[in-house]
Amino acid sequence: MVRLGGLTYAIDPSKRVGKRIFDIRVAGRSLEPARRYKATGWASLGEADGPPAWDVVADHLRSVRRVKLDPRVRVRLVRLARTFREGG
């Protein structure tokens, strides 16, 4: 699972791979397939200089002491009851 910022989507685990994720939105607006978007990550796949990203985040959280969490749901799961009933 990837952490998302500004991106939301719906997922239906009962559908086949490649068809499960839909209703993708960026900052509340529908994803436009023809548009270019910038994406960033918080961890390196190779060697990187400096401390690991999780240490930087942990230090920051310790310094602010309180964090206000955004209550918005980023992932909407659909058809969950059916999926479990069918054993999938």
Side-chain angles (χ1 to χ4, degrees):
M1 174 62 80
V2 175
R3 291 173 179 89
L4 308 170
L7 187 114
T8 61
Y9 63 91
I11 183 168
D12 182 347
S14 69
K15 293 188 177 184
R16 66 182 168 87
V17 173
K19 298 293 181 183
R20 294 177 180 169
I21 296 175
F22 60 96
D23 192 24
I24 303 169
R25 297 178 176 272
V26 177
R29 297 170 57 191
S30 291
L31 182 76
E32 298 174 37
R35 185 174 173 191
R36 295 183 127 204
Y37 296 89
K38 286 186 180 181
T40 62
W42 76 304
S44 174
L45 296 177
E47 292 294 319
D49 292 332
W54 49 85
D55 288 346
V56 173
V57 172
D59 290 343
H60 172 71
L61 293 174
R62 283 187 205 98
S63 73
V64 297
R65 303 188 97 168
R66 283 189 165 213
V67 177
K68 183 177 180 182
L69 298 177
D70 187 352
R72 290 180 291 167
V73 176
R74 304 229 185 270
V75 177
R76 182 169 45 96
L77 184 62
V78 296
R79 301 179 75 168
L80 184 62
R82 178 179 165 206
T83 301
F84 283 117
R85 266 198 323 269
E86 294 172 0

